[in-house]
Amino acid sequence: FPAPAEIIDRMAGVKQKSVADRRLLAFGFGDGGGGPQFEELEYARRVKDLAGCPKTEYMLVGDFMRQLESEVKNPNTYRGELYLELHRGTLTNQHTIKRNNRKSELALRDLEFMTVVNAAARGEAASEENIAPLYADLLKNQFHDVLPGTCIPRAHEESRAETAALIKNAKAQTAALLTGDGAADSVTLVNTLSFDRTDVVFLDYKGMIAAGDYPQQLYTDLDGAEKLLISGVTVPAFASVTLHMVPGAPAEESAFTAGDDTIETPFAKIRFAENGTICSFTDRRNGRELVNGRPFNTFIMAEDLPDSWDNWDLDADYLAKFRPVSNLVSREAISAGSVAYIVRSVYRISEKSTVTQDVLFFASSPEVRFDTRMDWQDDHRFLKTCFDTSVYDDFARHEIQFGCVKRPTTRNNSIEQAKFEVVNHKYTDLSEPQYGVSVLNDCKYGISVEGGSLQLSLHKGGTHPDYKGDHDGIPACVYSFLPHTGGFCAENVIRPAYTLNIPALAAEGNLTVTAPVGVAAANVIVESVKPCEDAENAYIVRLYEAEGSYTDTLLTLPAQAKECFETNMLEEVKTSLGTEKTLPLTLRPFEIKTLKIAY
């Protein structure tokens, strides 16, 4: 216990006495609900009215906060992120748990969308009966310490099994809803995103597209599956496109010029170092050299022995321990065609661990994609991949739920220095007013950005409390480097991040999907279309403004829609927006809106 004169330092609340003279001392044993101990009660009794100590009384926390709110005078306020300077390792520890979390969320998103689309087409109420148990499993596995990867071995093992089963179940249900006419010579692509998509399509190879000016290419991926790559296909927002297939393979016509250590794409001139990393990347659109420091996609590894909280923490001194570990074992160009140029490399990053990676350069996009498999057998090591760029801004944007947050790329003071490892979801972007670069990912959550260097965290080797470490299978992930002309905006960054994470669904045969809603503004993203909680002939649309811009847009409703309501997040109706098929909608920066569309 503190000395009586020090008790004021243990109290929470507004620190300035000129603002408030009331503070809170919460007591009890530990953070597990242990309750007050005898010694604490006796201590409180003795200092109740003791000279040199604040006068004390028992009070409920809620009552304290209400009194504080009514008494404060001109309090200082803090605007920005309340960054926890602790437990940064939880963003990366236990790869499969992190990956399954992302994949579970997105599999359920697709399942909800297809459930609504099918029910609305039949004029029936969409049911959550088969979806709700899967959400219960997901939420259980998002509890601490499961999602942070800070459990005992059995909890991690059960979580990996449960979320893998969840993903399999959700995809099976979604496939059952993707019922076409069974025509074996057709495949239908369904776009579950709220904007038109033109990204490269990856299909299981069963033939080639019969008609249309679509570049096509065959490719055997890292899992041994033969894929047909197709570019030039536009799949409308929340709708579908049917392609007709014929036997055969596409012609091998390359859109790339390759030398011994160079490749020229429609977007970039690239030179490789001896170990296969990218030592020069010149954007052909403006002649700008982007590599400024270590070659792009250099793997770096550091000893990871935090002073305490092994699976939880990263200590700042790990930054000084990183060393390049991109030791090339083998490298070959495995596919070159009209869609992509693909190089497969194997790296030995330690005596125990290797990384196998396909690097995909696209003919239709400046994106460079890294399809990665990690045979990880190390403990107490931390692995990152680096992109040291020539782009500079004082702040980088990192995606969080329903928006993004700007964090400093400088280290001017202790607050900035503490942000040596931060969270991102699908993207981190570093942009000047007229140009920028992004690192996108499909299942990673930790990243460092300092100056122009973006360093995505790939693996952490903690062994406490899970003494088995993180040696589960062959962890897979995909990340991309995306240079863009123009600054940060939805078209340049946010939409590509969504398309990387949420590929178009494929169904055999002919199938027509009618969009359940349409949004005109590019920076307004529909995050989910889901069944109504009240099991009515209605569905819920949750959308948000993604750039941080005040936005006026138009909402388009389908023919079967009868009325649109704005609700709160509990789906309780606040107001009717009307019965018209086109409705105006205004969103404040990063505002989330929930709509209920009756049919």
Side-chain angles (χ1 to χ4, degrees), residues 95-414:
H95 166 91
T96 303
I97 284 176
K98 300 295 190 298
R99 185 177 193 271
N100 284 4
N101 177 72
R102 178 84 61 88
K103 301 302 182 183
S104 294
E105 291 175 336
L106 299 180
L108 287 171
R109 180 189 183 280
D110 284 347
L111 174 56
E112 287 181 323
F113 174 82
M114 289 307 305
T115 299
V116 164
V117 165
N118 280 23
R122 298 192 306 269
E124 302 172 358
S127 172
E128 286 192 313
E129 181 180 357
N130 295 325
I131 304 174
L134 300 183
Y135 265 111
D137 285 344
L138 174 61
L139 292 172
K140 179 177 71 173
N141 283 284
Q142 289 181 334
F143 180 76
H144 90 287
D145 285 78
V146 180
L147 183 53
T150 49
C151 283
I152 61 173
R154 178 177 172 180
H156 286 154
E157 291 162 7
E158 290 185 3
S159 176
R160 287 191 289 262
E162 288 182 5
T163 51
L166 186 163
I167 295 167
K168 183 178 180 180
N169 188 325
K171 288 188 174 182
Q173 289 192 51
T174 302
L177 295 169
L178 286 165
T179 51
D181 62 4
D185 64 344
S186 297
V187 60
T188 296
L189 303 176
V190 178
N191 180 10
T192 65
L193 297 173
S194 57
F195 50 86
D196 296 356
R197 63 187 305 158
T198 57
D199 56 312
V200 172
V201 178
F202 292 68
L203 291 179
D204 291 334
Y205 175 58
K206 297 179 181 178
M208 59 181 289
I209 305 302
D213 188 19
Y214 300 136
Q216 302 171 62
Q217 180 178 338
L218 292 182
Y219 155 59
T220 302
D221 67 15
L222 285 171
D223 298 320
E226 194 170 18
K227 297 290 184 179
L228 177 67
L229 277 57
I230 314 166
S231 67
V233 179
T234 298
V235 189
F238 284 151
S240 60
V241 165
T242 298
L243 303 174
H244 298 285
M245 313 289 292
V246 294
E252 305 257 341
E253 297 179 1
S254 180
F256 307 85
T257 302
D260 291 339
D261 62 353
T262 62
I263 179 176
E264 189 167 329
T265 80
F267 295 90
K269 295 179 180 179
I270 294 157
R271 182 163 50 87
F272 299 99
E274 289 186 4
N275 64 358
T277 55
I278 299 172
C279 61
S280 176
F281 190 111
T282 304
D283 192 325
R284 295 180 62 183
R285 296 169 294 183
N286 57 12
R288 181 167 181 172
E289 172 60 65
L290 295 181
V291 177
N292 182 33
R294 287 167 296 203
F296 283 176
N297 197 42
T298 294
F299 296 116
I300 58 174
M301 187 183 288
E303 181 184 55
D304 176 33
L305 284 168
D307 183 62
S308 57
W309 303 98
D310 186 9
N311 276 18
W312 285 263
D313 269 358
L314 294 173
D315 288 351
D317 66 354
Y318 89 129
L319 295 170
K321 300 176 182 179
F322 277 113
R323 296 292 182 270
V325 292
S326 299
N327 303 306
L328 186 65
V329 175
S330 65
R331 180 172 178 266
E332 64 174 326
I334 62 167
S335 184
S338 57
V339 179
Y341 188 93
I342 306 171
V343 179
R344 179 165 297 168
S345 302
V346 178
Y347 292 96
R348 180 160 295 282
I349 59 172
S350 75
E351 293 182 358
K352 301 177 180 178
S353 301
T354 60
V355 173
T356 303
Q357 190 170 70
D358 282 354
V359 183
L360 291 81
F361 302 92
F362 296 107
S364 58
S365 167
E367 175 189 1
V368 181
R369 189 173 301 187
F370 302 87
D371 189 357
T372 308
R373 303 291 183 273
M374 296 174 284
D375 187 353
W376 179 268
Q377 302 300 329
D378 281 279
D379 293 328
H380 297 295
R381 296 292 182 271
F382 197 90
L383 180 67
K384 284 177 172 284
T385 180
C386 296
F387 295 89
D388 291 352
T389 78
S390 60
V391 177
Y392 184 78
D393 191 83
D394 289 338
F395 294 90
R397 289 177 174 86
H398 307 261
E399 192 195 33
I400 57 173
Q401 303 95 322
F402 297 102
C404 63
V405 61
K406 291 195 289 188
R407 299 190 180 100
T409 64
T410 51
R411 300 292 185 264
N412 292 318
N413 52 49
S414 61

Side-chain angles (χ1 to χ4, degrees), residues 283 285 288 290 391 429-438 481-488 492-493:
D283 192 325
R285 296 169 294 183
R288 181 167 181 172
L290 295 181
V391 177
D429 179 73
L430 183 60
S431 283
E432 300 164 356
Q434 299 299 322
Y435 192 84
V437 293
S438 300
F481 176 74
L482 178 63
H484 52 85
T485 54
F488 171 82
N492 285 343
V493 181

Side-chain angles (χ1 to χ4, degrees), residues 453-509:
S453 179
L454 298 91
Q455 303 175 10
L456 184 68
S457 299
L458 299 180
H459 227 295
K460 174 177 168 63
T463 60
H464 179 76
D466 188 344
Y467 61 86
K468 293 184 177 180
D470 189 6
H471 307 158
D472 179 58
I474 305 294
C477 69
V478 177
Y479 56 91
S480 291
F481 176 74
L482 178 63
H484 52 85
T485 54
F488 171 82
C489 64
E491 295 95 325
N492 285 343
V493 181
I494 300 169
R495 287 182 169 187
Y498 268 86
T499 58
L500 175 68
N501 277 264
I502 307 174
L505 301 176
E508 187 173 284

